[in-house]
Amino acid sequence: MRGNFFHPGDSGRTGRRVLLAVLVVAVLSAIYGASSLWGAAAATIGSVLLLAVCVGAVARSVRQLGDRSTALDDRTASLAATAEAAAAARPLLADDVGALRGDVTALRGDVTALHGDVTVVRGDVGALRGEQYIGFSRRLDQETEAELCSVWSERLGVTLEPPYLRYLERKLLQIEAAVAGRLASHMYDGLLRAVVARSVTGREFNGLEIGVLFGISAMVILEAVGPFFERAHMTLIDPFEGYYAPDELDPMTRLPVSRRLLQRNLDRLGVPPEQYTVIQGYSADDAVGRQVSGRTFNFVLIDGDHSFEGVTADFERYAPMIQPRGYLVLDDYGAPEWPGVTRFVEEVLSASPLFECVGTASRTAVFRRI
Ligand SMILES: C[S@@+](CC[C@H](N)C(=O)[O-])C[C@H]1O[C@@H](n2cnc3c(N)ncnc32)[C@H](O)[C@@H]1O
């Protein structure tokens, strides 16, 4: 073991030699007696032997110290070389770190630019889908799709899968593109109404929509339920005299809200007349009430007068016409611009013993008649 001053093997050997010399002195002393001449000679020989052993041990230690010192010198030289190399590498490393920092800054710039591109593409897609005049989102994002497939499938007791939802999404866009006007809600709300309508049980679908606007919501619902029922029918109630005021144009498309435009849309899409009944007037009018008395529905969408009093009046008049297990759907629930709808849902509808809440999403509240 080079360079190690304390060497257990050497120390053991030295100890044994010292012990042997002491033993020789003791034996010779015992044999010849310390007082005799022989005894003195023996003691002297023993002492010389002991001294020789000690000198040998000291010489070995000195040699080991020398080895250790050489090793330390080597190590010091090696450390000095390493320090020198590190000092030489330092500026190079500083350059590399500087370059890496520059790369990170450039990458950050690229990511920001990509975000900008994505925003532009989203805007373009939205524009192609008409979002700029519709005022609502026309995208079915993956989160919404997943929510419809999992949460709403279970709530409604129907199997909703991504391809079917994408199919309905496309139908909604096609219907909206084919006729005049717009659906006055988000894609999510439009699809949710459609899948709620499609999950009605029974052979016949009987829907009522209060607040029809251009009829696009009704046409999407009829499109969605058509393949699943022997007969599908929608009753459509709206004064058709302007957007919440006589002759007021739709604020987004600047089109008139009129019976003539609704009929034009229904005809353009080729909806068979036996699939709808249009009742022109305010839902709270007795004349309108008389035209629907005696009918029952398994789907009612309230989207007309959005004041608390207006929604409550619609509920009181039309909710008793909903069959057991039929659905009551409210648009604009939670929309800050229509606080009356939210108040009605939370204070009146939620407290009704006749209805259970199925769920809410986006701007839609869905209840089921018990
Ligand atoms: C928000 S839009 C309906 C949008 C339509 N449901 C859709 O999703 O595209 C409101 C409609 O309610 C109608 N309306 C307003 N007050 C009404 C009332 N008391 N009874 C029936 N319809 C009413 C308006 O004429 C307007 O066409």
Side-chain angles (χ1 to χ4, degrees), residues 183-184 193 209 211-213 217 238-239 242 244 257 282-283 303-305:
L183 173 93
R193 290 172 198 178
E209 183 174 13
V212 179
L213 196 61
S217 169
D238 196 301
Y244 289 105
V257 180
Y282 290 89
S283 52
D303 193 14
D305 180 344

Side-chain angles (χ1 to χ4, degrees), residues 182-185 193 209-218 237-245 257 279 281-285 301-306 310 314 331-332 338:
R182 64 182 176 120
L183 173 93
S185 211
R193 290 172 198 178
E209 183 174 13
I210 299 168
V212 179
L213 196 61
F214 301 110
I216 295 173
S217 169
I237 299 175
D238 196 301
F240 298 113
E241 60 176 20
Y243 194 83
Y244 289 105
V257 180
I279 301 175
Y282 290 89
S283 52
D285 285 357
L301 168 62
I302 297 181
D303 193 14
D305 180 344
H306 284 50
D314 282 344
D331 188 46
D332 292 314
W338 300 113

Side-chain angles (χ1 to χ4, degrees), residues 62-344:
V62 167
R63 215 171 39 249
Q64 284 168 352
L65 271 175
D67 290 350
R68 174 84 180 127
S69 159
T70 309
L72 277 175
D73 285 350
D74 290 353
R75 182 90 185 112
T76 306
S78 143
L79 282 173
T82 308
E84 206 175 309
R90 206 184 178 128
L92 297 174
L93 280 174
D95 286 353
D96 286 351
V97 169
L100 281 173
R101 282 211 176 107
D103 288 351
V104 168
T105 308
L107 279 174
R108 282 213 176 107
D110 288 351
V111 169
T112 307
L114 278 174
H115 273 308
D117 288 351
V118 168
T119 307
V120 170
V121 170
R122 279 218 172 112
D124 288 350
V125 171
L128 280 173
R129 293 181 168 200
E131 282 176 3
Q132 283 163 345
Y133 68 82
I134 288 166
F136 291 102
S137 163
R138 279 299 171 261
R139 260 170 292 129
L140 174 64
D141 58 47
Q142 289 191 335
E143 206 179 305
T144 307
E145 181 194 274
E147 196 169 300
L148 283 166
C149 289
S150 55
V151 181
W152 285 96
S153 276
E154 198 180 321
R155 286 175 178 167
L156 298 172
V158 289
T159 304
L160 299 172
E161 288 167 321
Y164 174 66
L165 293 172
R166 294 292 166 188
Y167 166 79
L168 278 187
E169 176 201 25
R170 195 164 146 75
K171 284 288 162 200
L172 188 153
L173 292 172
Q174 286 172 331
I175 291 170
E176 195 172 46
V179 301
R182 64 182 176 120
L183 173 93
S185 211
H186 295 301
M187 173 63 77
Y188 192 172
D189 302 278
L191 291 186
L192 187 52
R193 290 172 198 178
V195 297
V196 169
R198 174 223 171 301
S199 64
V200 158
T201 52
R203 291 181 175 177
E204 290 195 7
F205 174 82
N206 273 305
L208 166 67
E209 183 174 13
I210 299 168
V212 179
L213 196 61
F214 301 110
I216 295 173
S217 169
M219 288 186 268
V220 171
I221 289 170
L222 282 172
E223 183 64 33
V225 300
F228 296 97
F229 295 87
E230 285 176 9
R231 181 178 172 274
H233 184 271
M234 287 288 292
T235 299
L236 308 173
I237 299 175
D238 196 301
F240 298 113
E241 60 176 20
Y243 194 83
Y244 289 105
D247 298 329
E248 188 70 31
L249 300 178
D250 170 48
M252 301 309 296
T253 60
R254 309 307 293 160
L255 295 179
V257 180
S258 66
R259 169 88 188 252
R260 197 184 69 78
L261 197 51
L262 171 77
Q263 196 58 55
R264 189 168 164 267
N265 282 346
L266 290 163
D267 293 344
R268 182 175 284 185
L269 209 68
V271 182
E274 64 272 18
Q275 287 193 359
Y276 61 86
T277 302
V278 181
I279 301 175
Q280 186 166 1
Y282 290 89
S283 52
D285 285 357
D286 287 340
V288 171
R290 275 195 296 277
Q291 291 184 64
V292 289
S293 71
R295 293 196 201 180
T296 58
F297 303 101
N298 43 27
F299 176 93
V300 169
L301 168 62
I302 297 181
D303 193 14
D305 180 344
H306 284 50
S307 68
F308 174 75
E309 295 71 21
V311 188
T312 306
D314 282 344
F315 175 71
E316 285 168 356
R317 172 166 282 184
Y318 298 98
M321 299 178 188
I322 300 176
Q323 298 159 0
R325 309 296 298 160
Y327 289 98
L328 174 59
V329 177
L330 277 296
D331 188 46
D332 292 314
Y333 168 69
E337 63 272 33
W338 300 113
V341 178
T342 306
R343 187 180 152 207
F344 162 76

Side-chain angles (χ1 to χ4, degrees), residues 351-365:
S352 168
L354 293 179
F355 286 88
E356 60 180 358
C357 181
V358 179
T360 64
S362 189
R363 299 161 72 98
T364 302

